[in-house]
Amino acid sequence: MSRLMDPPPKFLPPEWRLANQIHYGNAEAERSRSERLTAESKRLIEESGMAAKRMQQDASKRLEQRIHDIKFWRTELDQKLEEIVQEIEVLISYKSRVERALESCAEPLRVALQCMTERQRRVSIDLVHDDVERELMKEREVIEGVTSLLNRTLEQTNEQIRLNRSAKYYLEKDLRDKFQAEQIDGFCSILTNTSPNIDNVTSQTSLAVPGATVTPEEWETFSNINILKAEREKNNSLSLRALVDSLLEQTAADMRRQHNAMGTALRLQVQETKTAKGQLEDHLVKVLSEVASQECNLEALRVAIEDKAGPLKVAQTRLSARSQRPSIELCRDPVQVRLLSEVQELTAHIKRLREAQAQSEMELLALTRSQLILEEEIQVKSHSLYIDEVICTQLRQPISIHSF
């Protein structure tokens, strides 16, 4: 207990001075370290402030450049979009022209086929493969060829419209994306350190870069590809429109030329048929006149034969009577000779008259047959004229081939 109550040991003066020196040294060291830290902190504050300001200015400058780039590409895309939209509208009008051209081919083809059907109703020798028939077949081939060509052109036009619309879709999508990107970058460019919208953004969110897998070169290439695709489709569309113009003009000219050739052939055939019919009618008149003449001749021959029957009977009766003369009186005197000669001559005349009568009857029969043939042929020609001049001409009259 007495040991516990002993006073603490006392230090020596050198120890006291050493302790003070140590405290002085420690305080000086802490103060120096604090001064250096303060200086370093001040330098770091100035450096970070300048860096933050520099980086923010650089980011703002890059945002402005980015917005400028986006506006440039938007301008290019807008221009190309306007061109492709106009081209689509023009190509749709060309499609309508091709469709109208196809519709206008239907009626001429129907008429050509109906004319061919009607002309199959010709009869006898007039059912001939004439120039009209050949021109009709050629006209059908031309129209069917034009129709097939126009159908293929319509398919090409529809496909080109689809490709143009595809290019338009990608241009519009690219424009929408760039508009949204411009809005975002514009918002970012006006942000300042005092903007209220930055309080809700955490550091983690600001470091996140979703989908940052596209380089600037790829970004430009993407829009350039869309523009080049639209330009390519526009050029293809221009080439197709030039082809359609040429095709419509050529097909209309071919159909018009064949229509005119067919019309000319039909007019010539009608004229030729009329001429043949007129000649047949002239010959019929002559045959009828000859029939009448031959009938008169036949009647004259019949009368002549009857007229010779009396003298012949007289001569024969005289000979028969004189053959009854008695004895020496049955003499071949001049009278007997004359009577014999008369009978022979009259018999010969009657024979020749009968032969002439038979020939006349045969000729009359031949003339009658010729009359029937001529009348039948005139009916055939009249029927053919009705088909060509009335039916076919009236069917073709409303047809007019205009430029498509």
Side-chain angles (χ1 to χ4, degrees):
M1 203 52 194
S2 63
R3 185 176 288 180
L4 290 174
M5 296 301 292
D6 288 342
K10 293 183 179 181
F11 295 96
L12 296 175
E15 292 176 339
W16 177 79
R17 287 191 291 271
L18 179 61
N20 287 336
Q21 289 297 325
I22 291 173
H23 288 310
Y24 297 156
N26 289 336
E28 183 65 24
E30 289 296 335
R31 186 183 61 78
S32 296
R33 198 162 43 247
S34 177
E35 287 178 352
R36 287 195 302 271
L37 180 60
T38 301
E40 180 66 21
S41 297
K42 184 178 180 180
R43 185 190 63 79
L44 184 59
I45 289 171
E46 291 178 354
E47 183 181 348
S48 62
M50 292 176 63
K53 184 178 181 180
R54 185 177 62 254
M55 288 187 294
Q56 192 176 80
Q57 288 176 347
D58 184 61
S60 297
K61 189 174 182 179
R62 289 177 183 273
L63 278 171
E64 291 177 0
Q65 181 61 41
R66 182 65 173 176
I67 291 172
H68 179 269
D69 292 342
I70 292 176
K71 287 182 177 179
F72 168 77
W73 283 108
R74 278 191 62 194
T75 302
E76 294 293 318
L77 290 168
D78 272 329
Q79 179 181 355
K80 198 55 61 179
L81 178 62
E82 182 180 356
E83 291 176 1
I84 201 69
V85 167
Q86 291 178 352
E87 186 59 33
I88 289 173
E89 293 175 353
V90 174
L91 197 57
I92 288 175
S93 68
Y94 271 70
K95 174 187 173 183
S96 299
R97 287 179 60 193
V98 175
E99 289 173 341
R100 289 196 299 270
L102 272 172
E103 292 174 357
S104 64
C105 290
E107 185 62 17
L109 180 59
R110 184 192 68 79
V111 169
L113 293 176
Q114 188 171 350
C115 285
M116 293 178 69
T117 302
E118 292 292 339
R119 297 190 92 246
Q120 289 299 320
R121 294 172 47 240
R122 293 173 298 166
V123 295
S124 186
I125 193 62
D126 274 23
L127 189 60
V128 61
H129 188 67
D130 53 10
D131 290 340
V132 176
E133 191 79 12
R134 285 188 289 271
E135 293 297 336
L136 272 175
M137 294 178 66
K138 187 177 179 181
E139 185 174 40
R140 184 190 63 184
E141 293 174 358
V142 168
I143 297 174
E144 288 177 346
V146 167
T147 301
S148 176
L149 190 58
L150 289 176
N151 277 321
R152 290 197 300 271
T153 304
L154 183 60
E155 292 175 359
Q156 293 177 356
T157 305
N158 286 328
E159 178 63 16
Q160 188 60 52
I161 290 174
R162 187 191 67 80
L163 293 174
N164 289 354
R165 285 173 173 166
S166 174
K168 172 177 171 285
Y169 166 78
Y170 285 108
L171 289 174
E172 289 175 337
K173 185 177 184 302
D174 199 358
L175 274 170
R176 286 194 301 269
D177 292 344
K178 282 183 170 46
F179 175 76
Q180 186 176 359
E182 184 180 353
Q183 294 295 314
I184 293 172
D185 286 347
F187 167 75
C188 293
S189 67
I190 64 175
L191 285 176
T192 63
N193 297 332
T194 59
S195 298
N197 297 326
I198 64 175
D199 294 336
N200 298 326
V201 181
T202 65
S203 59
Q204 293 181 353
T205 306
S206 64
L207 292 175
V209 187
T213 58
V214 178
T215 65
E217 292 76 14
E218 291 173 336
W219 176 79
E220 290 186 359
T221 302
F222 179 79
S223 295
N224 194 40
I225 287 174
N226 289 333
I227 290 174
L228 290 177
K229 178 182 179 183
E231 181 67 23
R232 182 176 65 252
E233 297 305 337
K234 188 191 77 169
N235 291 334
N236 291 340
S237 185
L238 289 173
S239 300
L240 180 60
R241 287 201 286 118
L243 176 65
V244 170
D245 280 330
S246 174
L247 180 65
L248 291 178
E249 181 180 355
Q250 184 62 43
T251 52
D254 290 344
M255 288 180 61
R256 190 181 302 111
R257 181 168 55 253
Q258 184 55 39
H259 180 77
N260 294 336
M262 171 56 200
T264 300
L266 185 61
R267 287 192 298 272
L268 290 176
Q269 183 63 33
V270 168
Q271 185 60 43
E272 186 176 1
T273 304
K274 284 183 176 180
T275 301
K277 180 173 175 287
Q279 292 176 349
L280 288 171
E281 289 171 343
D282 291 342
H283 282 286
L284 178 60
V285 171
K286 293 177 180 178
V287 166
L288 290 174
S289 175
E290 188 61 30
V291 166
S293 175
Q294 198 60 242
E295 287 176 347
C296 292
N297 181 54
L298 191 60
E299 179 64 21
L301 288 172
R302 186 185 63 77
V303 171
I305 292 172
E306 290 178 355
D307 289 344
K308 301 302 181 292
L312 178 60
K313 289 179 180 180
V314 170
Q316 289 175 340
T317 302
R318 286 175 176 176
L319 282 174
S320 176
R322 295 188 86 245
S323 66
Q324 301 299 322
R325 290 176 296 169
S327 184
I328 195 67
E329 295 299 324
L330 190 60
C331 162
R332 186 178 177 86
D333 54 7
V335 176
Q336 187 71 14
V337 173
R338 184 57 188 167
L339 286 173
L340 288 172
S341 174
E342 183 181 4
V343 169
Q344 292 176 352
E345 289 181 6
L346 286 173
T347 301
H349 282 300
I350 291 173
K351 180 180 179 181
R352 288 196 300 271
L353 286 172
R354 290 188 184 280
E355 290 175 354
Q357 184 183 29
Q359 290 178 356
S360 180
E361 289 176 348
M362 293 177 60
E363 190 63 32
L364 182 61
L365 183 60
L367 287 172
T368 303
R369 284 196 300 268
S370 180
Q371 174 190 346
L372 293 175
I373 291 172
L374 289 173
E375 288 175 347
E376 182 180 354
E377 284 299 311
I378 290 172
Q379 289 296 323
V380 169
K381 297 296 184 290
S382 297
H383 180 66
S384 299
L385 276 175
Y386 177 75
I387 292 174
D388 286 344
E389 188 175 23
V390 179
I391 297 178
C392 291
T393 301
Q394 289 182 357
L395 282 173
R396 298 180 61 82
Q397 190 172 5
I399 300 298
S400 180
I401 309 298
H402 300 289
S403 297
F404 301 136

